[in-house]
Amino acid sequence: MPPSRRPTQRDIAELAGVSITTVSHVVNGTRPVAPATRAAVLDAIASTGYTGDVIARSLVTGGTRSIGVAISLLANPYFATLIQAIEREAAASGYTVLLSDTHDTVETEQDVVRALRARRVEGVLLTPVPGDAGVQAELSAMGTPTVLVDRLSPKGQHDQVGAENIQATSALTEHLSARGHRRIGLVSGAEGLATSDERTLGYRLGLGRSGLPWNAELVACGHSERRGGAAALARLIDLPDPVTAVVVANDAMMVGVLHEARRRGLRIGTDLAVAGYDDPEWADLVDPPLTTMAQPVAEIGRSAVRLLLSRLRDPHRPPETVRLPPALRHRGSCGCPE
């Protein structure tokens, strides 16, 4: 075969000594084929590098066996674990994954979602950016099966899966209160995110359960990023009656909090108790190690794919919301012995 020519099913059939129809059944899984015959076809495919024509096949079958993932890589430090779980779960069902970075802006999200639709993906896994109601409405209007991941919508118009935020953040706040802290601050995430609102609500719930009053001055927005986390802690420490403990709503802000504490000469776990939502890989490498709520990131990814495939099989079923519980990683930053 000339190196410039793309191998075809006819080439595979000739190499394997079978009919083109048999090759088609092996490639598309449309009919059982004898093991020996299937092995011969697969050997021929491996030797030629045959990939088929996904778009052409989609015109016949009505599907490309691909799903799109639109997520902000910068705003989701755990994206590698999430994407790995999504790809493995999708591959187990014969689907490929197309990944696009939204950069956490509505304009980019709209562009990448439209690009994924143009690639004829059968469905989309979406981590929505703040204020993207128009993008979600467009997906609904176009009938694109969609699963929201991590950042969930209270409207429940789409299938969605994420970690439980309210009870988990309440538990962190109650834990700090049980250590005797009465001035517990919150470094909250970016405004407009469902996760930020839920974790703030959980913090408030934890205060109430601990018999502590709500005080708005003890909440400082860290805008879900490192520098914002540092500025938020500075504000809480500079109060006339500073906080003695702080709940940090994500790990990007936690980096800023730790840097600001070190800049001020504060000893974590002694001068300032710290507990965070998210469990970065380095959480047990800092001194003292961080007490955190670890999201079940891999299970979120697997569940997202399952929800999407279930939607593809049954387009008319009611939307489903799945909340997965985080796990407390109790270490030394809260002031407790490890």
Side-chain angles (χ1 to χ4, degrees):
M1 187 185 309
S4 61
R5 186 166 74 82
R6 181 178 179 178
T8 66
Q9 287 196 7
R10 183 179 297 279
D11 297 321
I12 303 303
E14 291 178 356
L15 281 173
V18 299
S19 69
I20 295 177
T21 300
T22 299
V23 174
S24 177
H25 287 315
V26 172
V27 170
N28 298 310
T30 50
R31 195 188 71 185
V33 175
T37 304
R38 176 181 173 81
V41 172
L42 293 178
D43 285 344
I45 289 174
S47 67
T48 61
Y50 172 78
T51 60
D53 190 331
V54 173
I55 298 301
R57 188 160 61 246
S58 74
L59 298 176
V60 177
T61 65
T64 58
R65 305 290 290 183
S66 64
I67 60 178
V69 178
I71 184 174
S72 171
L73 306 187
L74 179 63
N76 294 275
Y78 51 78
F79 81 92
T81 301
L82 181 68
I83 296 303
Q84 185 181 61
I86 288 172
E87 288 186 326
R88 286 180 176 176
E89 189 70 23
S93 296
Y95 281 78
T96 57
V97 173
L98 301 180
L99 174 64
S100 293
D101 186 356
T102 67
H103 298 286
D104 229 22
T105 69
V106 174
E107 294 77 11
T108 304
E109 181 187 68
Q110 185 174 63
D111 289 342
V112 302
V113 166
R114 288 178 176 175
L116 288 171
R117 288 180 39 240
R119 296 291 298 272
R120 301 176 63 87
V121 296
E122 296 188 29
V124 172
L125 304 182
L126 174 68
T127 297
V129 308
D132 80 334
V135 176
Q136 294 186 47
E138 182 176 306
L139 286 167
S140 295
M142 298 303 298
T144 304
T146 302
V147 176
L148 305 186
V149 183
D150 184 42
R151 301 171 178 174
L152 310 190
S153 169
K155 297 180 181 179
Q157 296 175 329
H158 296 283
D159 293 312
Q160 50 187 359
V161 57
E164 196 287 316
N165 292 298
I166 297 174
Q167 300 298 331
T169 312
S170 175
L172 289 176
T173 307
E174 293 175 69
H175 179 71
L176 294 174
S177 174
R179 292 286 302 163
H181 295 283
R182 292 297 174 263
R183 297 281 289 178
I184 304 172
L186 172 69
V187 177
S188 62
E191 296 179 355
L193 293 179
T195 49
S196 298
D197 293 341
E198 290 172 358
R199 290 170 196 173
T200 300
L201 179 58
Y203 161 77
R204 190 165 185 168
L205 178 63
L207 292 177
R209 287 173 170 172
S210 302
L212 299 177
W214 160 258
N215 186 343
E217 76 173 4
L218 299 186
V219 177
C221 181
H223 305 288
S224 296
E225 51 93 20
R226 172 180 170 173
R227 285 181 295 180
L233 180 66
R235 174 184 158 190
L236 295 173
I237 294 296
D238 288 339
L239 291 171
D241 186 6
V243 299
T244 62
V246 64
V247 174
V248 184
N250 78 4
D251 55 6
M253 295 186 294
M254 179 64 82
V255 174
V257 165
L258 295 179
H259 275 274
E260 182 64 15
R262 184 175 65 179
R263 189 183 73 82
R264 291 171 175 259
L266 297 175
R267 294 169 298 170
I268 298 297
T270 302
D271 302 322
L272 180 70
V274 173
Y277 196 106
D278 284 344
D279 188 51
E281 292 182 353
W282 46 265
D284 60 351
L285 300 178
V286 296
D287 184 23
L290 297 178
T291 292
T292 63
M293 277 289 180
Q295 296 193 64
V297 177
E299 185 56 31
I300 288 173
R302 290 189 290 266
S303 295
V305 174
R306 292 169 193 153
L307 279 175
L308 185 58
L309 298 184
S310 177
R311 174 63 55 190
L312 293 174
R313 290 190 295 268
D314 184 4
H316 303 295
R317 66 173 178 77
E320 183 178 353
T321 295
V322 176
R323 293 279 191 178
L324 299 172
L328 177 65
R329 301 284 187 257
H330 190 196
R331 304 184 181 105
S333 66
C334 56
C336 300
E338 288 190 64

